[in-house]
Amino acid sequence: MPSVTMTVNGQEVSRDVEPRTLLVEFLREHLHLTGTHVGCDTSQCGACVVHVDGASVKACSILAMQAEGGQITTIEGLATNGDLHPMQAAFKEHHGLQCGFCTPGMVMSAVDLLKHDPNPDEDTIRHWLEGNICRCTGYHNIVKAIQHAAKEMRG
Amino acid sequence: MPDTGAPRVLRKEDHRFLTGRGHYTDDLNRPGQLYAAFVRAENAHAKLNAVNVEAARKAPGVVAVFTGKDMEADGVGSLPCGWVVTDKNGSPHKAPPHWPLARDKVRYVGDHIAVVIAESIMQARDAAELVEVDVEALDANANPAKALEGAPAVHDDAADNLCYDWELGDKAAVDEAFAKAHHVSKMELKNNRLIPNAIEPRAAIGEYDPGTDEYTLYSTSQNPHLLRLILCAFVLNLPEHKVRIVAPDVGGGFGSKIFCYAEETVCTWAAKKVGRPIKWTAGRDESFSSDAHGRDHVTHAELAMDQDGKFLALKVDTIANLGAYLSSFATAVPTYLYGTLLAGQYKTPAVHCNVKGVFTNTAPVDAYRGAGRPEATYVIERLVERAARDMKMDPAEIRRRNFIQPNEFPYQTPVALTYDSGQYELALDEALKMIDYQGFPQRRQESERKGKLRGIGFSAYIEACGIAPSKVVGSLGAGVGLWESGQVRFNATGSISVFTGSHSHGQGHETTFAQVVAERFGVPVENVDVVHGDTGRIAMGMGTYGSRSLAVGGSAIVRACDKIVEKGKKIAAHMLEASVDDIEFDAGTFRVAGTDKQKSIGEIAFAAYVPHDYPEDVEPGLDETAFYDPANFTYPSGVHIAEVEIDPDTGETKIVDWVAVDDFGKVVNPMIVEGQVHGGIAQGVGQALLEECVYDEMGQLVTGSYQDYCMPRADDLPSFRVAMTETPCPHNPLGAKGCGEAGAIAAPAALMNAVTDALGTDEIAMPATREKVWRVAQARLTPAAAE
């Protein structure tokens, strides 16, 4: 089996994997980072969104080997020194999650949105989230949380 | 929104979910664990001639392959339906066997044929491809509307495909009322079939300990105790005390995780056979094909009125698709959770309902958010809106004229239920104000100037929640009691552990239940932890469905708190050298009435565990359990109004405003309740505009992935405006009615009433997709264009 090496949440990791191993399987099964979830098998639901070299990527849509040498951030790596990232804090403050299953992907996707647009309006947020399905919240409070996080992060 | 004066309480469970530290079933791994992959039916209906597993058995990593024959040899039973509905001819419903792995035939695409168990999931899936299934394809019966018209029989012992022909209400009284009606409004309504689609797929890990003969099943269940009862008593014939079911963090349920499924049964049974834990996690394709689906009714309904628009009688005839097999509570959903709700919020004196439950070669259909009540609300509220249009009456006015009034409770409906409380007009008035109903004609004109079609639609819904008094449901055919348990344990140092039979899979019980207890004992919410979802830690309970958790589960917790207080008073009386009768308790303090002599609940708890100075006739410890069986259903109600703007050129339906005024009785955590309403509305919008599970005539599942089944995305939905009235439930200690299903119940009718108002015709069925809306709009604007 080929070996793959990447940096995940600031730590370099190497593992031998079957070539067909998806990045999300690598994270969950090999590194036991189970915060990244799998909600579908067609790259639609977005529960598995992580950051690869700073950009949001559905971790079910690339092979682990394609992330060779990459910088990966998962939901477990978003908080710093125990302090929630402003996006995580905003989701909590505005009840942007219920069952929590889509949440990691939703948060990782939203963090990337603010890199592209630090002051998105409601339509922009809703359009950006097209690739993330939530069945619980009706998105209302997710949108609100992202708006507040954006405000917080703009300072 | 009622102003409770209390600060917002944020959710205790959020931290772990937001940091990726939740523990969903698929996140768990057991030592030595194997993986299961299921071989599923590709035909909707076929005779199983042979299942050749030899090649699969020899594949790399494969530990075992089992078929229905292996389970049969072990005496494994059928997956039962827990609610027996009695046919109008007096006989029980037909309940053909539902084997966890098929034995003679497969009856829907996705039906279970064999399981391959291997060292890795990839090996299991690879080997599953090697199982050779020799079938003789049979004609399929996939259309419920035609199931009773000579379609192929799904089961030999239900040759006409009829499970039951059920009725409720006084048919003679209805016929008499129709005979003298001034006007009768009629509709043909289809309640589209839905796939629940919790974002966490179902999963299970079965485990067996030969040293103790104990099984453990980790499962994505909404009701682990109920699952254990069904598995032990009916399917696997195991002693209940030797089976533990853990439902850890569960990523949404919406009803679909209530039921006892084949996969978890197989994993539990096979774990003993192979002597190692076995894990199975559904792919989304498996969720689509084998989760229990929802709705799927075809209905003809008629409403008789006098010349003033007063309702005289309602008759409803429905064909309800039950799928290929009876899922755990399938039979009750289109009967006791549907027919009994058909009075709605109105004083319709006579109602008659006939439901024919039919078998088809489709996945089993069972409870999905609202379960029967969205279907009932859809019938009533579409028909009432139609009646207003027929009678040229204002849709708000026709409702107002027929509402049950606040002074008429308890109100006995003609369809069995006794409503306990409600203020229907209050909610309507508030909703009309919020949406600025007066301003609608002007807004409509403005839309028209832009070439758009604007519509407004109402839905005044009622639910029966809590489900419910055990005696009542028992008399109606339920196989279980529907109480709930709650245990409140003070630890010696004053923190509190609460154990509940309710299960949280998004509802936030860890917060709401902690608030209930914290408020009673005057302690911070942080000092209270709520434990749920583990039969090994919690007294027997009934789980979460039917918006029951706070009204029933919360009430059990309150009763346990009451017991704590009663015992605490005895301990306090001893310590304060007073009579028990003189001890008062308020917000965490026991006090001798009229004095400043007092003990905090923390001091009492410590004394209970370190009983050095302690009354002789009181047991040590401060840990009380209560079982609460409700006296009645609860009856949440409300009014939703949707306003839409349709672009006739694109067929796009834009929801320009949505107001919801709901009455859930007393609310503990308004933030959580609002969130429940948002989510419910979103699912209702999905049903009305986007979602539809489609089987073709051959019984192939056409909508088997998120590419084919349209889930509501963020940009399909608006923000919602949510308000509440508060009419406390008179018969439970919290005054709570339940809020989890309301949005999904109210929304489809409100939205379809708005869409049809905009289009000027009722001739459009759910889901009102862009294409359908475009065709209708074009046909009306330029009759030739849409040909």
Side-chain angles (χ1 to χ4, degrees):
Chain A
M1 279 195 284
S3 170
V4 64
T5 300
M6 64 187 86
T7 302
V8 179
N9 299 331
Q11 278 195 313
E12 190 177 281
V13 294
S14 290
R15 294 287 188 282
D16 295 336
V17 298
E18 274 196 62
R20 60 177 164 172
T21 304
L22 299 170
L23 177 59
V24 68
E25 293 166 341
F26 180 73
L27 295 169
R28 289 181 58 81
E29 308 299 333
H30 292 260
L31 304 184
H32 305 294
L33 292 170
T34 54
T36 302
H37 296 151
V38 180
C40 75
D41 30 39
T42 50
S43 295
Q44 308 265 310
C45 81
C48 66
V49 170
V50 298
H51 293 178
V52 178
D53 298 328
S56 56
V57 169
K58 288 178 176 172
C60 72
S61 68
I62 66 168
L63 297 166
M65 294 180 70
Q66 289 173 286
E68 170 73 31
Q71 295 279 337
I72 314 298
T73 306
T74 71
I75 189 73
E76 289 93 341
L78 200 58
T80 44
N81 304 323
D83 291 334
L84 293 181
H85 183 281
M87 189 62 73
Q88 291 168 307
F91 267 66
K92 178 170 176 149
E93 178 69 29
H94 297 281
H95 190 31
L97 65 154
Q98 290 182 24
C99 82
F101 197 80
C102 77
T103 308
M106 207 54 92
V107 167
M108 296 308 284
S109 184
V111 168
D112 193 29
L113 164 63
L114 298 192
K115 286 183 194 161
H116 288 79
D117 183 349
N119 189 15
D121 62 16
E122 180 173 342
D123 282 349
T124 307
I125 295 170
R126 288 182 179 276
H127 185 66
W128 178 272
L129 293 180
E130 226 183 8
N132 293 79
I133 303 177
C134 172
R135 193 56 151 169
C136 294
T137 65
Y139 306 98
H140 179 111
N141 284 340
I142 291 176
V143 172
K144 213 159 88 177
I146 295 171
Q147 285 172 322
H148 279 84
K151 200 170 155 200
E152 186 74 18
M153 288 169 72
R154 288 195 308 274
Chain B
M1 173 66 53
D3 180 9
T4 61
R8 274 171 89 232
V9 178
L10 301 179
R11 295 206 323 171
K12 290 161 67 78
E13 44 272 82
D14 283 356
H15 187 83
R16 69 176 187 274
F17 295 143
L18 281 163
T19 53
R21 262 78 183 190
H23 292 293
Y24 301 88
T25 300
D26 188 57
D27 299 340
L28 308 176
N29 293 296
R30 305 297 299 158
Q33 164 183 297
L34 300 166
Y35 296 82
F38 284 83
V39 178
R40 292 175 183 273
E42 295 175 2
N43 299 80
H45 196 192
K47 194 161 162 262
L48 275 181
N49 290 332
V51 182
N52 185 345
V53 301
E54 287 318 307
R57 276 204 179 116
K58 289 182 198 139
V62 171
V63 173
V65 184
F66 297 114
T67 67
K69 283 199 167 46
D70 299 302
M71 295 192 96
E72 188 173 8
D74 270 9
V76 174
S78 160
L79 300 170
C81 176
W83 197 309
V84 178
V85 167
T86 302
D87 190 282
K88 68 184 184 188
N89 70 14
S91 56
H93 70 226
K94 294 202 184 84
H98 180 189
W99 307 118
L101 293 177
R103 295 184 184 177
D104 53 345
K105 282 182 181 174
V106 290
R107 294 185 171 85
Y108 67 96
V109 169
D111 203 353
H112 313 72
I113 296 172
V115 62
V116 176
I117 297 161
E119 297 287 347
S120 79
I121 183 60
M122 287 179 184
Q123 288 170 328
R125 285 182 189 151
D126 288 346
E129 300 282 331
L130 301 175
V131 173
E132 293 167 25
V133 184
D134 175 13
V135 297
E136 178 189 331
L138 302 170
D139 288 340
N141 149 21
N143 182 345
K146 294 182 184 166
L148 297 172
E149 298 168 7
V154 179
H155 298 277
D156 295 340
D157 44 357
D160 52 3
N161 292 313
L162 184 67
C163 176
Y164 53 71
D165 184 354
W166 176 86
E167 67 177 348
L168 181 67
D170 185 342
K171 188 163 188 306
V174 168
D175 289 343
E176 196 182 322
F178 270 82
K180 60 184 184 199
H182 168 77
H183 178 78
V184 174
S185 289
K186 302 177 184 181
M187 290 190 97
E188 308 292 330
L189 293 164
K190 190 177 140 192
N191 205 288
N192 43 327
R193 185 180 179 113
L194 303 175
I195 301 179
N197 272 306
I199 302 300
E200 180 204 25
R202 286 190 294 117
I205 307 173
E207 194 172 347
Y208 175 73
D209 182 340
T212 58
D213 198 28
E214 288 174 346
Y215 293 82
T216 304
L217 170 65
Y218 298 86
S219 168
T220 51
S221 175
Q222 298 180 214
N223 31 240
H225 290 88
L226 203 50
L227 176 59
R228 183 178 67 166
L229 177 63
I230 295 171
L231 267 183
C232 291
F234 299 100
V235 190
L236 295 177
N237 293 316
L238 298 172
E240 245 179 305
H241 66 295
K242 291 292 188 185
V243 177
R244 175 183 173 203
I245 298 187
V246 181
D249 288 326
V250 173
F254 315 111
S256 69
K257 292 172 179 169
I258 296 172
F259 321 118
C260 180
Y261 283 98
E263 296 88 350
E264 56 207 359
T265 304
V266 169
C267 286
T268 308
W269 166 79
K272 181 176 181 181
K273 297 197 76 85
V274 301
R276 288 166 65 180
I278 300 170
K279 182 182 199 172
W280 168 78
T281 303
R284 182 56 59 182
D285 55 338
E286 294 181 288
S287 308
F288 274 104
S289 67
S290 69
D291 286 2
H293 295 176
R295 318 282 192 254
D296 210 354
H297 286 195
V298 182
T299 294
H300 173 81
E302 299 187 10
L303 179 64
M305 285 161 285
D306 70 11
Q307 64 276 15
D308 299 323
K310 283 225 169 175
F311 305 157
L312 302 175
L314 171 71
K315 60 180 170 191
V316 175
D317 293 304
T318 294
I319 293 174
N321 190 356
L322 301 171
Y325 304 100
L326 298 183
S327 172
S328 307
F329 295 99
T331 50
V333 174
T335 51
Y336 293 108
L337 296 175
Y338 170 71
T340 52
L341 273 300
L342 286 169
Q345 298 187 351
Y346 310 111
K347 286 189 280 191
T348 314
V351 178
H352 182 262
C353 171
N354 173 243
V355 179
K356 294 181 174 72
V358 301
F359 294 110
T360 60
N361 292 114
T362 65
V365 180
D366 206 322
Y368 166 59
R369 200 171 195 169
R373 290 150 291 168
E375 296 91 315
T377 299
Y378 191 65
V379 170
I380 303 161
E381 290 303 291
R382 287 296 309 278
L383 194 51
V384 166
E385 200 91 3
R386 172 65 170 261
R389 290 169 194 172
D390 286 353
M391 300 285 285
K392 310 238 177 308
M393 284 179 68
D394 182 278
E397 177 54 30
I398 199 169
R399 288 178 167 86
R400 197 187 296 281
R401 209 167 275 192
N402 287 283
F403 279 152
I404 300 161
Q405 295 301 312
N407 62 359
E408 292 173 315
F409 294 96
Y411 184 85
Q412 177 63 52
T413 76
V415 274
L417 296 176
T418 307
Y419 296 170
D420 60 6
S421 60
Q423 300 185 74
Y424 306 143
E425 211 164 346
L426 186 66
L428 176 66
D429 288 339
E430 179 65 19
L432 291 173
K433 201 161 64 185
M434 282 172 70
I435 204 141
D436 180 23
Y437 189 52
Q438 297 295 331
F440 176 72
Q442 195 188 335
R443 297 196 293 278
R444 176 175 253 173
Q445 279 180 5
E446 284 162 15
S447 295
E448 276 169 11
R449 275 198 289 277
K450 294 184 289 179
K452 305 279 175 67
L453 307 170
R454 203 173 186 102
I456 194 163
F458 292 72
S459 180
Y461 71 94
I462 179 115
E463 308 179 59
C465 294
I467 343 182
S470 298
K471 198 173 164 183
V472 174
V473 294
S475 72
L476 299 179
V480 291
L482 288 171
W483 43 267
E484 193 50 271
S485 69
Q487 180 182 2
V488 176
R489 175 185 299 163
F490 264 90
N491 300 307
T493 51
S495 64
I496 304 169
S497 303
V498 177
F499 301 83
T500 174
S502 299
H503 186 276
S504 186
H505 30 281
Q507 297 89 339
H509 298 166
E510 290 172 38
T511 306
T512 302
F513 289 1
Q515 282 181 258
V516 167
V517 173
E519 194 226 344
R520 267 163 184 70
F521 293 129
V523 301
V525 173
E526 293 70 35
N527 290 13
V528 184
D529 258 10
V530 176
V531 179
H532 62 98
D534 185 346
T535 65
R537 297 176 73 187
I538 300 155
M540 178 71 182
M542 298 310 296
T544 287
Y545 37 82
S547 303
R548 73 194 308 265
S549 296
L550 186 62
V552 186
S555 293
I557 291 170
V558 170
R559 290 281 165 84
C561 290
D562 292 345
K563 290 186 182 181
I564 294 267
V565 171
E566 286 312 303
K567 184 170 183 178
K569 280 183 177 173
K570 291 180 191 163
I571 302 168
H574 174 88
M575 294 171 78
L576 296 168
E577 297 176 333
S579 159
V580 172
D581 296 337
D582 291 337
I583 302 293
E584 293 173 341
F585 179 77
D586 181 48
T589 303
F590 294 91
R591 183 176 290 112
V592 181
T595 74
D596 60 356
K597 288 168 69 179
Q598 62 183 53
K599 290 281 178 190
S600 73
I601 185 94
E603 290 173 288
I604 297 298
F606 190 77
Y609 288 101
V610 188
H612 297 163
D613 177 19
Y614 201 72
E616 277 183 8
D617 57 346
V618 177
E619 290 176 15
L622 199 56
D623 187 346
E624 296 289 344
T625 300
F627 290 78
Y628 176 80
D629 202 338
N632 190 355
F633 291 85
T634 63
Y635 297 95
S637 61
V639 172
H640 287 215
I641 306 178
E643 193 166 323
V644 302
E645 192 179 66
I646 288 172
D647 184 338
D649 294 331
T650 65
E652 183 192 9
T653 299
K654 192 171 176 209
I655 300 168
V656 290
D657 202 358
W658 194 292
V659 300
V661 181
D662 298 293
D663 196 327
F664 302 132
K666 287 271 188 194
V667 168
V668 173
N669 188 315
M671 176 191 84
I672 287 176
V673 170
E674 281 189 26
Q676 289 292 310
V677 174
H678 298 157
I681 297 172
Q683 281 172 331
V685 171
Q687 168 159 33
L689 297 186
L690 305 167
E691 297 178 42
E692 182 170 39
C693 170
V694 178
Y695 285 93
D696 69 14
E697 290 294 320
M698 304 288 289
Q700 285 298 325
L701 178 61
V702 177
T703 51
S705 81
Y706 286 140
Q707 288 161 307
D708 311 296
Y709 184 91
C710 188
M711 291 281 282
R713 292 346 196 242
D715 57 0
D716 294 314
L717 295 167
S719 289
F720 311 106
R721 295 196 290 143
V722 176
M724 286 167 214
T725 57
E726 186 182 290
T727 315
C729 172
H731 58 77
N732 68 47
L734 285 164
K737 296 187 172 183
C739 66
E741 297 164 291
I745 290 169
L751 191 44
M752 289 305 288
N753 283 337
V755 167
T756 54
D757 182 45
L759 292 173
T761 172
D762 281 330
E763 300 306 312
I764 185 166
M766 294 195 292
T769 58
R770 273 189 189 209
E771 182 191 340
K772 279 194 216 165
V773 169
W774 178 82
R775 285 187 188 282
V776 172
Q778 291 302 310
R780 292 188 65 78
L781 292 173
T782 49
E787 293 299 315

